[in-house]
């Protein structure tokens, strides 16, 4: 059968460069060998982008796809359409996306919490700019929330620009970007927990009546993925 290429794989082979530098080239970021002295790491971990490699083991890739499809009820094809990568670092393997700073926001279903969600390289949000005429933005707390929202509404794309915070710590950066775009409306899809509520308050302070809070769509759940999984009979207990 013919070999399929995504953009990153093509750049790696055509340019004969590493996975990390292929991503940086696509994002128009400077290619470099990243070292602990040269990189500004997250306080939560000391992982760096050069620790990652594309995952090639078909069995492990299928295990990640199974987790996405059967545990999270998200189509792997939809996730790949929006930039999902299958990655590995040492003996661990991850689903991941690139953030705006060239870091990798990775997650899996590891039983060990510290390996369940990691950022390799610099922490940052991930932006999807669709250049819509109104410059509206939809803000999601995590990549899974974004994909879950697409699944719930049975669409492949939104008609707005999108920011995936990759954690509420990036709220201020997101606010600054939205301010720069002079947005008409800001749709919020944040978690119904303390961190999500606090982040929502930050957006409301800046944008006021421009805010459209969509958390009412999943008000009985912590986040939009819990709503999605509940529709498949997985979650029995609703948020109190």
């Amino acid at each position: 059968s013919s070999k399929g290429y995504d953009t990153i794989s093509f750049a790696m082979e055509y340019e004969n460069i590493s996975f990390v530098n292929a991503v940086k080239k696509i994002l128009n970021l400077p290619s470099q060998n990243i070292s602990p002295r040269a990189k500004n790491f997250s306080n939560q971990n000391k992982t760096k982008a050069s620790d990652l490699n594309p995952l090639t083991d078909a069995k492990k890739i299928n295990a990640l796809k199974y987790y996405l499809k059967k545990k999270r009820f998200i189509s792997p094809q939809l996730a790949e359409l929006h930039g999902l990568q299958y990655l590995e670092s040492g003996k661990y393997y991850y689903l991941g996306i690139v953030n705006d700073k060239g870091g990798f926001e990775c997650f899996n279903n590891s039983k060990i919490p510290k390996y369940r969600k990691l950022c390799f390289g610099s922490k940052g949000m991930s932006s999807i700019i669709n250049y819509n005429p109104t410059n509206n933005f939809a803000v999601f707390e995590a990549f899974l929330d974004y994909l879950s929202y697409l699944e719930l509404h049975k669409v492949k794309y939104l008609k707005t620009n999108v920011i995936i915070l990759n954690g509420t710590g990036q709220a201020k950066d997101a606010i600054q970007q939205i301010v720069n775009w002079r947005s008409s409306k800001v749709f919020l899809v944040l978690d119904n927990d303390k961190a999500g509520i606090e982040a929502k308050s930050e957006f409301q302070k800046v944008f006021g009546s421009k805010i459209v809070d969509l958390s009412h769509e999943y008000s009985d759940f912590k986040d939009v993925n819990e709503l999605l999984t509940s529709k498949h009979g997985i979650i029995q207990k609703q948020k109190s």
Side-chain angles (χ1 to χ4, degrees), residues 34 36 165 181 201 203 222 225 228:
I34 306 167
L165 293 178
W181 279 75
S201 177
F203 281 92
K222 175 181 174 289
N225 184 251
L228 177 62

Side-chain angles (χ1 to χ4, degrees), residues 48-185:
K48 48 190 183 292
S50 56
D51 289 337
L52 279 174
N53 288 296
L55 183 62
T56 57
D57 186 312
K59 187 175 180 180
K60 292 178 179 178
I61 291 173
N62 286 335
L64 289 172
K65 287 183 176 181
Y66 179 88
Y67 164 68
L68 203 59
K69 187 173 182 178
K70 298 297 185 180
K71 301 297 183 182
R72 296 292 191 160
F73 296 95
I74 291 169
S75 160
Q77 291 78 17
L78 178 67
E80 290 163 10
L81 185 66
H82 291 275
L84 179 78
Q85 299 290 323
Y86 303 97
L87 307 164
E88 66 179 348
S89 178
K91 64 180 181 179
Y92 296 99
Y93 48 101
Y94 301 92
L95 299 157
I97 58 167
V98 183
N99 66 35
D100 292 356
K101 295 180 180 179
F104 292 80
E105 306 290 338
C106 297
F107 60 97
N108 61 22
N109 63 336
S110 173
K111 294 179 181 179
I112 306 172
K114 71 176 181 178
Y115 294 115
R116 200 172 297 150
K117 188 182 293 185
L118 285 173
C119 176
F120 289 80
S122 292
K123 186 75 177 169
M125 63 188 184
S126 300
S127 303
I128 302 171
I129 305 300
N130 296 320
Y131 298 102
N132 63 89
T134 59
N135 287 337
N136 291 340
F137 272 85
V139 180
F140 295 83
E141 193 161 326
F143 187 48
L144 281 179
D145 296 323
Y146 172 53
L147 297 175
S148 298
Y149 196 84
L150 296 177
E151 290 281 9
L152 283 164
H153 291 269
K154 303 184 187 308
V155 295
K156 290 185 178 180
Y157 301 96
L158 296 181
K159 295 180 180 179
T160 65
N161 299 313
V162 174
I163 289 179
I164 300 162
L165 293 178
N166 298 316
T168 55
Q170 280 63 247
K172 289 183 179 179
D173 288 344
I175 288 169
Q176 185 59 59
Q177 175 155 310
I178 296 169
V179 167
N180 292 342
W181 279 75
R182 302 176 184 272
S183 300
S184 304
K185 288 185 179 180

Side-chain angles (χ1 to χ4, degrees), residues 25-48:
K25 186 176 185 68
I26 291 165
L27 293 176
N28 200 28
L29 296 169
S31 297
Q32 58 183 325
N33 291 320
I34 306 167
S35 69
R37 284 190 293 271
K39 198 69 180 175
N40 181 21
F41 296 121
S42 155
N43 292 330
Q44 296 178 336
N45 59 72
K46 297 296 181 183
T47 54
K48 48 190 183 292

Side-chain angles (χ1 to χ4, degrees), residues 213-225:
D213 180 13
L214 297 178
S215 63
H216 64 87
E217 294 186 15
Y218 50 97
S219 58
D220 290 330
F221 301 91
K222 175 181 174 289
D223 58 38
V224 68
N225 184 251

